[in-house]
Amino acid sequence: MAASPAQAATAPTVSASGAYLMLGSNGTPLYNKAADTRRQMASTTKIMTAAVVLSTPGVNLDQKVTSKQAYRDYVTAKGASTADLRSGDVLTVRQLLYATMLPSGCDAAMALAETYGTGTTRTARVQSFIGKMNAKATELGLTNTKFDSFDGNSTTGNNYTTPRELGKIARYAMNNVNFRAIVKATSYKASAKTSTGGTRTYTWYNTNQLLGSYSGANGLKTGTNTPAGPCLVFAATRGTKTVIGVVLNDSNRYTDAAKLLDYGFGTTTASTMQLRKLPQGAQRD
């Protein structure tokens, strides 16, 4: 039986500490490098944050949530990426999902965690939500994944996964039509009511520079912090074929992602890819 172009091509060399590539349709592995070694995952954690919200029974994406000063204080304390949510502004769950996934807003992720967790205090609600993230990992059969945060800013070092298992989380999340719409957007404008009855317009840019750079790229999430290094979970669709991949601790994450996608598609477009530039002042992650 003749090999497909993707199989016949030589597997690329990537600088990631861990990498994984699979078919979106059935999860067939296409490439792995230390795919089962546990690593920190930084803000790629937010894929699970969004997945837990979107898989909540009866989730209402138009539910209104009031942003709190605590979310801004958290971002300041952590030096974390932010959607710059203003205290008292009223946003919808849908808007908060865009705010979490595009500019990698840790404030928005905290708002979702508090909204979808249960308990009498903010701390209890957030911990309850992290519990739901871990329950979802168990439900997906993941044995090398653990969350101790809603955004990847680990407090204990127990926020880890493997390239293979993060790929499985991504594939699960991409089955949701709302998730797919969010992570493929290069930018998003949100109109929110302020505490004084006015209207504020937020504009968020997707930190994932593969979007608009690699033909067919349609997701997924960046992540960068000191313990994890630069991370990227990525996906692209060409024709009827979707390929999903992960690179963890990779200083050449976009180039390597493009090389891996080329390998999956049996193409050679990575070498001519021009990376989409983020506007001045946009969040980097």
Side-chain angles (χ1 to χ4, degrees), residues 246-277:
V246 175
V247 287
L248 297 180
N249 190 30
D250 188 344
S251 53
N252 300 306
R253 56 183 171 171
Y254 293 114
T255 307
D256 285 344
K259 287 198 294 191
L260 288 168
L261 287 169
D262 269 357
Y263 180 63
F265 290 122
T267 54
T268 56
T269 53
S271 57
T272 56
M273 181 178 76
Q274 295 291 310
L275 212 54
R276 174 177 63 93
K277 287 186 166 48

Side-chain angles (χ1 to χ4, degrees), residues 61 63-67 71 83 85 89-103 105 107-112 115-116 182 188 190 204:
L61 297 184
Q63 178 184 340
K64 290 180 167 47
V65 177
T66 302
S67 186
Y71 308 154
L85 301 182
D89 283 9
V90 179
L91 298 97
T92 65
V93 168
R94 179 184 280 103
Q95 289 171 332
L96 287 172
L97 285 164
Y98 276 95
T100 298
M101 298 304 286
L102 272 63
D107 44 357
M110 188 178 194
L112 289 171
T115 300
Y116 286 90
I182 292 163
Y188 184 78
W204 298 307

Side-chain angles (χ1 to χ4, degrees), residues 172-194:
Y172 168 78
M174 288 291 273
N175 283 326
N176 184 286
V177 62
N178 290 302
F179 183 88
R180 290 199 302 274
I182 292 163
V183 296
K184 77 176 183 183
T186 52
S187 65
Y188 184 78
K189 273 192 182 343
S191 183
K193 284 280 177 237
T194 68

Side-chain angles (χ1 to χ4, degrees), residues 48-123:
M48 185 62 102
T49 308
V52 167
V53 171
L54 287 165
S55 64
T56 300
V59 63
N60 175 14
L61 297 184
D62 296 317
Q63 178 184 340
K64 290 180 167 47
V65 177
T66 302
S67 186
K68 298 174 182 174
Q69 183 62 36
Y71 308 154
R72 292 183 69 83
D73 293 345
Y74 171 78
V75 163
T76 302
K78 292 282 185 182
S81 48
T82 177
D84 196 24
L85 301 182
R86 305 302 174 90
S87 306
D89 283 9
V90 179
L91 298 97
T92 65
V93 168
R94 179 184 280 103
Q95 289 171 332
L96 287 172
L97 285 164
Y98 276 95
T100 298
M101 298 304 286
L102 272 63
S104 201
C106 297
D107 44 357
M110 188 178 194
L112 289 171
E114 184 174 7
T115 300
Y116 286 90
T118 56
T120 53
T121 65
R122 177 176 304 115
T123 301

Side-chain angles (χ1 to χ4, degrees), residues 8 14 20 76 104 118 125 129 160 170 177 195 209 223-224 227 268 285:
V14 296
Y20 189 67
T76 302
S104 201
T118 56
R125 290 188 287 274
F129 184 83
Y160 57 79
V177 62
S195 56
Q209 290 174 266
T224 307
T268 56
D285 180 34

